[in-house]
Amino acid sequence: MQRVTTDALPTPPLSGPSRGVAKRTVAGSPAEPAPTAELAPSTGSAGPATTSTGSTIPAASTGSTGSAGPAGPATSTGSTRPTGPDPTMSVLPVAIPQPADVPRDDPRRSDVDEWGRSEHLRSIVRSVYDPVYRHWFRVEWEGLEKIPTDGGALLIANHAGAVPSDAPAIMHGIERELGRPVYGMADYFFRTIPVVGTLWSRAGGVPADPENAYRLLHDQRQLALVFPEGTKGPSKSYTDRYRLRRFGRGGFVEIAMRSGVPVIPIAVVGAEESMPILFRLPSVAKVLGVPYFPVTANALLFGPLLGSVAYFPVKMKMRVLDPVTFDVEPGLDRYSKSRVMDESERIRATLQDTLHDMLRERRSVWRG
Amino acid sequence: MAQALEADPTVEMILGMGTNEPRVPLERTEFVRADQTYSILNRIVRATQVDTIVHTFLVTNSVQVSGRNLHETNVIGTLNLLAAASAGGSSVRQVVVKSSTHIYGASEKDPAWFRETTPRNAPVRTRLERSLLEVESMVQDFKEDNPQVVVSVLRFANVLGSDIVTPISTNLRRRVLPCLLGFDPLVQFVEEDDVVRSLEHVTRHRIPGVFNVAGDGKLPWSEVAAIGGAHLLPLSPVSTGLFAAPLVRLGLIQFPPELEPILRYGRGVDSTPIKETDFVFRYTSAGAVDSFAHANNLRRSMGTVKDGYRYEQDVEQFFRHSPAVVRGIDG
């Protein structure tokens, strides 16, 4: 036998004995007068005072609230909604495969997923960016077949350009050629900028966080793109071009180990020259609260606003290196730090060598 | 909650406590009027030998009460409750606490999904969050000091439903949803039916632990407005409080301080652990908004019906205790 004290206002029924409607709960306000009950399911219990209006309304309410089950909105409710034909209805997903267990009357109106990525917006971005990708940067890939068409993988690349031009190019290229989404992980600083942060998120950007990466790679078997240099990559001056910065603390290796996915390095040539940094203004960065404040050649030529989107028409080349797998047990909380740092350093050295090779072969910044 | 428990014949006695009278008919719940801080709970526990306390009274909506009352109710109320439960010779074997995912805060550094063990990143700025943190740390201490007691803490995401009044639900009802210009964060909701069912679930099965309770999925704030049939009211993303204050003063919107970071960065909590205890959600996040919107449409068309029930002390006493009442016929 249980004896139970509830220390809150007792509340309406979970469900009347004969009805499946269950829509009420504890209201935790000590000070406010009771909010009057909604129309919805109040009759069920043998309430001593059911008014005459009370008895007519629930008949309507059960029909239109539809709270008992997955019954769709009644047509009459549809017409009472004053927004009219909803503009977002035309914004429904285009090509994303729906999991089979999504209920038919899914109330969702947009295709924004749990990471904020919207396939619809992404397809708009793709159609706008495609000419840039093909005719401006004339991106060329090598070894694209090394990226799996199925299952998780952690893509890493060198990072460059004051407003990096490599991330969109890589994401676009893989989505275009392999037809699968890439989530670009970037510094959470982006989230603090209005509009930019939201667009970045809708276009497939995810804040770089170990938990996020694990969920993407392990649970959802997606492709995630990470720049292990972090902001140290794009903030370096032109004089340091193609010199890889420190690869953080090797966190990307640890994530790949834990998720049990390979690391696939991508060497990018061209992004460095697309928006070269002449010098930086640390004091301005401090005032604005941004990681770095670059003065780029583009900004000097085209002005500060246009200069942050007007890239030089460099030839971009990408080379996918062999996937690196780790012979460790996935799912552990911690991995040997020395092992992680060794692997990280090895990947960094390989990527640096590849960059040197590619630069040796390059005859012109503009024509490749 | 009490009505949910009344339906269970293995529950011998239910005791309701609150500062207000119950608003719904209860068949066998005894109601005791208490002050805000539950100072009499100790005596009640001793007198009735209850074995379970369900603490659903934490204020998670700072619009409702002043800062001082918030502290009185949340911190001092919980203090008295836990003191009563841990008093010498206490009969209490389970304490269930209804907390909130406000405890995680919201910041740009947050992971997309908080687990119960993920520490918060945002600095504690609001009274509400401070009081919740204090309450949960007291509960944690209580748990360590009283290993014989099953302690369950449920952290609820934004609740939507016809009976719970939250700033978001009030704004949705008024069909004006404040947002920050240029931000469209991902948010989660839980339907109040799932709130009651989850409390009942952990109480009935005596499940210890801390659990996030939020409907599946996340949806962008703009979509909440679309489903809820509300208009977005963009506020300036800088000095938001300053711009919001006159609108709040005019009664146009509700905009408590704990809402602002959510409108900026959103919040997601992972409720996998509670699902692993065989709890099944009836509503997804979007489903909760949808169901609320439908109830709201109906309310708009037909007006609000007054609750047909009023608690009358002597009437209740008569029905419960008078020998003249023939029991077991109608309920």
Side-chain angles (χ1 to χ4, degrees):
Chain A
M1 291 292 242
Q2 277 183 302
R3 291 161 75 88
V4 177
T5 291
T6 63
D7 67 317
L9 293 176
T11 45
L14 247 196
S15 57
S18 60
R19 320 173 68 186
V21 185
K23 272 188 53 85
R24 299 193 154 204
T25 188
V26 182
S29 153
E32 276 209 341
T36 38
E38 273 302 320
L39 298 178
S42 60
T43 49
S45 56
T50 308
T51 59
S52 58
T53 39
S55 63
T56 58
I57 285 153
S61 78
T62 35
S64 55
T65 51
S67 54
T75 40
S76 60
T77 9
S79 61
T80 56
R81 184 174 292 153
T83 46
D86 189 71
T88 51
M89 288 310 280
S90 59
V91 176
L92 278 174
V94 241
I96 242 181
Q98 290 287 333
D101 56 345
V102 168
R104 260 165 30 88
D105 66 329
D106 192 356
R108 289 298 303 267
R109 302 286 183 87
S110 76
D111 66 339
V112 177
D113 72 5
E114 61 176 81
W115 303 104
R117 183 185 190 275
S118 155
E119 177 57 30
H120 174 69
L121 187 111
R122 190 68 213 162
S123 71
I124 295 175
V125 170
R126 271 202 295 273
S127 55
V128 171
Y129 186 73
D130 201 57
V132 179
Y133 176 86
R134 284 192 299 162
H135 303 301
W136 194 260
F137 292 131
R138 294 148 289 144
V139 181
E140 232 173 70
W141 283 85
E142 221 177 294
L144 205 55
E145 71 284 349
K146 290 171 189 164
I147 297 173
T149 52
D150 180 44
L154 183 60
L155 313 174
I156 66 150
N158 53 316
H159 207 20
V163 179
S165 53
D166 39 19
I170 295 173
M171 287 164 75
H172 181 84
I174 292 172
E175 291 195 356
R176 194 167 174 262
E177 304 297 334
L178 272 69
R180 62 179 297 196
V182 181
Y183 289 86
M185 313 205 73
D187 194 271
Y188 52 75
F189 161 73
F190 270 97
R191 289 181 81 185
T192 61
I193 316 172
V195 184
V196 174
T198 306
L199 283 177
W200 170 68
S201 167
R202 294 292 173 272
V206 173
D209 179 280
E211 295 256 348
N212 289 350
Y214 181 76
R215 201 174 166 102
L216 269 173
L217 294 169
H218 178 266
D219 299 356
Q220 305 180 350
R221 299 165 48 80
Q222 297 282 4
L223 293 179
L225 171 66
V226 163
F227 298 99
E229 294 170 274
T231 53
K232 297 189 295 301
S235 67
K236 63 184 183 289
S237 316
Y238 187 59
T239 45
D240 285 330
R241 61 190 179 278
Y242 298 113
R243 287 182 199 157
L244 288 179
R245 310 280 101 180
R246 177 165 58 81
F247 270 16
R249 281 161 284 183
F252 75 101
V253 171
E254 207 165 343
I255 288 296
M257 286 176 167
R258 188 177 303 146
S259 316
V261 299
V263 168
I264 306 179
I266 302 173
V268 184
V269 164
E272 294 273 13
E273 290 88 357
S274 68
M275 192 177 281
I277 295 182
L278 303 179
F279 54 91
R280 281 160 293 169
L281 298 172
S283 50
V284 178
K286 206 167 179 181
V287 170
L288 293 179
V290 295
Y292 58 95
F293 188 86
V295 175
T296 63
N298 310 55
L300 291 183
L301 277 175
F302 308 119
L305 275 182
L306 190 61
S308 56
V309 285
Y311 291 102
F312 294 133
V314 294
K315 169 85 177 172
M316 265 205 204
K317 281 191 174 177
M318 323 265 191
R319 183 178 293 175
V320 184
L321 310 189
D322 289 329
V324 182
T325 50
F326 309 101
D327 186 21
V328 290
E329 184 191 342
L332 301 183
D333 280 343
R334 244 177 247 110
Y335 290 89
S336 150
K337 211 64 197 164
S338 63
R339 173 83 198 274
V340 167
M341 291 311 278
D342 285 354
E343 295 284 3
S344 161
E345 195 46 43
R346 195 170 304 141
I347 292 171
R348 183 175 173 274
T350 323
L351 193 59
Q352 183 70 75
D353 289 348
T354 312
L355 284 174
H356 288 155
D357 286 348
M358 290 170 80
L359 290 172
R360 261 194 291 271
E361 293 160 16
R362 182 167 76 161
R363 295 157 75 183
S364 154
V365 171
W366 316 109
R367 270 171 285 148
Chain B
M1 179 75 197
Q3 276 184 331
L5 289 170
E6 278 187 348
D8 185 349
T10 62
V11 179
E12 180 193 345
M13 188 205 71
I14 306 162
L15 198 66
M17 266 180 80
T19 53
N20 290 343
E21 285 157 346
R23 304 192 302 270
V24 291
L26 292 166
E27 299 296 336
R28 51 199 192 96
T29 302
E30 303 279 344
F31 177 75
V32 183
R33 188 195 286 269
D35 69 329
Q36 209 178 10
T37 56
Y38 304 121
S39 39
I40 57 161
L41 189 65
N42 196 1
R43 284 173 58 203
I44 292 179
V45 168
R46 220 172 321 148
T48 58
Q49 296 288 302
V50 293
D51 61 5
T52 302
I53 300 181
V54 186
H55 182 30
T56 58
F57 217 65
L58 285 186
V59 175
T60 54
N61 169 6
S62 69
V63 173
Q64 280 175 335
V65 292
S66 69
R68 171 151 302 274
N69 279 340
L70 186 86
H71 177 80
E72 290 290 318
T73 308
N74 283 5
V75 181
I76 308 299
T78 307
L79 191 75
N80 280 331
L81 185 142
L82 295 178
S86 61
S90 160
S91 56
V92 175
R93 289 293 163 267
Q94 182 179 18
V95 173
V96 179
V97 180
K98 168 177 166 282
S99 180
S100 156
T101 54
H102 280 310
I103 202 154
Y104 298 113
S107 87
E108 72 274 21
K109 296 175 196 171
D110 288 345
W113 300 89
F114 275 105
R115 284 189 280 169
E116 285 82 352
T117 48
T118 318
R120 66 178 280 150
N121 292 312
V124 190
R125 288 228 176 84
T126 65
R127 276 171 193 272
L128 175 70
E129 289 171 339
R130 207 170 302 134
S131 80
L132 285 176
L133 282 165
E134 208 168 331
V135 164
E136 284 215 9
S137 95
M138 282 195 296
V139 171
Q140 191 59 38
D141 290 348
F142 171 81
K143 188 167 138 189
E144 278 165 24
D145 296 345
N146 300 275
Q148 80 282 4
V149 179
V150 172
V151 178
S152 330
V153 177
L154 298 187
R155 294 173 179 162
F156 293 101
N158 307 307
V159 183
L160 278 185
S162 45
D163 276 346
I164 288 192
V165 179
T166 69
I168 295 176
S169 76
T170 310
N171 290 327
L172 269 179
R173 257 171 228 229
R174 296 175 185 168
R175 307 185 60 219
V176 178
L177 215 49
C179 69
L180 302 187
L181 194 65
F183 289 92
D184 193 12
L186 301 175
V187 288
Q188 278 179 314
F189 292 95
V190 55
E191 227 282 342
E192 61 178 9
D193 168 33
D194 282 333
V195 173
V196 177
R197 287 178 50 252
S198 60
L199 283 169
E200 193 199 356
H201 177 78
V202 294
T203 308
R204 187 165 291 166
H205 302 287
R206 295 192 181 269
I207 302 166
V210 181
F211 298 102
N212 293 328
V213 185
D216 279 347
K218 286 179 172 180
L219 64 167
W221 191 245
S222 56
E223 201 180 332
V224 176
I227 297 175
H231 300 280
L232 284 172
L233 176 69
L235 302 172
S236 156
V238 289
S239 329
T240 311
L242 206 67
F243 286 92
L247 300 171
V248 173
R249 183 60 74 177
L250 283 172
L252 211 61
I253 52 169
Q254 287 198 348
F255 195 75
E258 66 270 12
L259 190 60
E260 190 198 319
I262 297 181
L263 297 192
R264 205 177 286 270
Y265 302 118
R267 184 192 297 142
V269 298
D270 185 355
S271 30
T272 314
I274 195 163
K275 285 192 236 163
E276 279 165 2
T277 68
D278 291 334
F279 179 73
V280 182
F281 283 90
R282 284 207 187 132
Y283 294 85
T284 61
S285 282
V289 181
D290 193 46
S291 141
F292 183 80
H294 284 151
N296 205 19
N297 281 342
L298 184 72
R299 189 186 60 87
R300 231 184 348 263
S301 304
M302 311 204 49
T304 307
V305 175
K306 289 267 180 290
D307 209 344
Y309 175 79
R310 233 180 96 226
Y311 183 85
E312 301 272 5
Q313 184 76 29
D314 37 1
V315 175
E316 290 296 325
Q317 291 307 320
F318 170 76
F319 276 118
R320 278 159 209 239
H321 304 296
S322 166
V325 175
V326 184
R327 292 189 179 78
I329 289 181
D330 65 350

